């Protein structure tokens, strides 16, 4: 910890030194603005080198979980302090940019780019350290570190945007930015999009056309003088999750066609799943077992609030190594787990098993996961069963049925979670090498609409890799009841 404290002190000293240099720049005759910014840039580059050294020492030092969290907190604090200084450097560049010589602008652009690359590398290393021990971190530390990493990335994106703006001012270009006044809405609610177009060229841009990939052509025949910008709003009703972007196109007096594409803007709609209870319940069981003898394991879950029915049983006698987790949460945003090769997503139920077994007595097991229509699910189930004398197995099962936006007041957080949500979903992902019998069954039925049945069974020595996903994208909105509109 002494190393991290020492480096924090060095960073603070660098900040103080830059402030002292600022005072000196104002008081010393002949000290130019460009010279001061160059001095600050040198300090930032040196600081980035110190952070790299700290990260290297942190990586080389053997630590337990407590020490790892402590060092990560220190590393995160150093990165945050560096980001603050980068913000100051960026502000100074913008303030003096238009009064700089072209050669100085080119030099500082290259320098700014190099600093951004160094910071990006440090953020990448921070992510790698998080990944190494992520599964062992307590939930509260995961939330804190994830929120911090998100904030650091947000700051990095802001600096990238500033770099782009400085580049456009120097080299010329046309840009368009798009934003929405809401990120989370009810079905049919109005959303206002704002479009900002800026001409960075030293020539006027004529015949400007602005279009949106979901809303079509928005305006045409605009003209922007050099350095001029304009903005306008478009209001529309949103009925489903929508991610769209805008494009601007025009031409200069030299008949050169110029264009730009905006950032992607997403607005999500509440609904599309079972409403989550305000007072929610959770269950988790995790176990690691190694030994030889009689095996008898069973688990059963029925939860109408999330339309879940889960049953499993396993029995046998032999040598076994087992690492398993069973988790259920009525609030899907609290249970983030991977599905197949995809990244973590909000789930209501998740089970995983890593197992190796050998024995003269066959190990017999059955597992089923159902999403019950009667409780608000999609009337689908998956089943896996085996009877084996030898097996190496890695398997997971999952279910998502709830509307993750329920009760959220922060629209941005709710929208980000909704975009990750797979509701409605039920399935399994299993990899097996076995000697015996193994098979799967899956079914999805909707009266007068669809009926899907799938069956596989293998007996002998096999290796099997299987992913089953039954997914329905439920459109947000009110479902009409049988007597809807009847007063009595």
């Amino acid at each position: 910890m002494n190393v991290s404290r020492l480096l924090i002190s060095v960073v603070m000293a660098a900040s103080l030194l830059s402030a002292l240099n600022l005072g000196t720049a104002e008081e010393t005759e002949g000290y130019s603005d460009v010279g001061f910014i160059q001095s600050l840039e040198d300090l930032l580059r040196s600081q980035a080198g110190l952070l790299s050294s700290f990260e290297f020492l942190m990586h080389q030092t053997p630590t337990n979980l407590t020490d790892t969290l402590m060092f990560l907190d220190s590393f995160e604090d150093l990165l945050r302090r560096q980001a603050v200084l980068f913000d100051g450097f960026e502000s100074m560049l913008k303030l003096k940019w238009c009064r700089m010589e072209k050669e100085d602008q080119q030099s500082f652009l290259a320098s700014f780019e190099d600093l951004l690359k160094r910071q990006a590398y440090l953020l990448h290393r921070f992510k790698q350290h998080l990944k190494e021990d992520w599964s062992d971190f307590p939930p509260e530390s995961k939330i804190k570190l994830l929120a911090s990493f998100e904030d650091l990335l947000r700051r990095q994106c802001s600096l990238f945007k500033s770099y782009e703006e400085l580049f456009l001012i120097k080299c010329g270009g046309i840009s368009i930015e798009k934003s929405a006044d809401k990120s989370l809405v009810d079905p049919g609610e109005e959303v206002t999009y704002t479009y900002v177009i800026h001409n960075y060229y030293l020539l006027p841009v004529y015949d400007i056309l602005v279009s949106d990939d979901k809303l079509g052509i928005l305006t045409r025949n605009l003209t922007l003088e050099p350095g001029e910008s304009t903005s306008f709003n478009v209001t529309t009703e949103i009925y489903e999750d929508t991610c769209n972007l805008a494009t601007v196109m025009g031409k200069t007096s030299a008949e050169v066609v110029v264009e730009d594409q905006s950032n992607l803007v997403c607005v999500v709609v509440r609904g599309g799943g079972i409403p989550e209870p305000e007072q929610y319940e959770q269950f988790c069981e995790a176990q690691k077992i190694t030994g030889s003898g009689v095996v008898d394991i069973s688990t059963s879950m029925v939860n109408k609030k999330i339309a879940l029915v889960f049953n499993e049983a396993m029995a046998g006698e032999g040598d076994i190594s087992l690492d398993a987790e069973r988790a259920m949460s009525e609030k899907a945003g609290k249970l983030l787990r991977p599905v197949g090769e995809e990244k973590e997503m909000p789930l209501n139920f998740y089970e995983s098993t890593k197992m190796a077994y050998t024995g003269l007595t066959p190990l017999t097991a059955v597992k089923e996961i159902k999403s019950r229509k009667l409780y608000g699910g999609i009337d689908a189930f998956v089943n896996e069963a085996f009877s084996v004398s030898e097996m190496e197995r890695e398997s997971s099962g999952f279910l998502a049925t709830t509307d993750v936006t329920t009760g959220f007041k922060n629209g941005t957080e709710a929208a980000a979670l909704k975009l990750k949500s797979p509701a409605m979903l039920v399935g399994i992902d299993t990899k097996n090498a076995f000697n015996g019998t193994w098979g799967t069954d899956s079914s999805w039925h909707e009266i007068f609409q669809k009926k899907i049945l799938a069956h596989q069974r293998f007996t002998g020595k096999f290796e099997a890799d299987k992913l089953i996903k039954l997914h329905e994208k439920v459109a947000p909105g009110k479902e009409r009841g049988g007597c809807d509109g009847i007063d009595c």
Side-chain angles (χ1 to χ4, degrees), residues 14 17 46 68 72 110 149 175 189 208 210 266 271 283 313 330 363 367 384 398 402 405 410 417 451 484:
L17 183 57
S46 298
T68 298
L72 280 174
F149 191 38
S175 71
E189 187 175 346
I208 295 174
V210 181
C266 293
F283 167 82
E330 293 174 353
L363 180 68
K367 171 182 72 178
E384 184 180 16
F398 39 86
T402 60
T405 65
N410 187 316
L417 198 60
K451 187 173 183 180
D484 190 26

Side-chain angles (χ1 to χ4, degrees), residues 38 48 129 211 375:
Q38 180 66 54
H129 286 293
S211 61
Y375 305 150

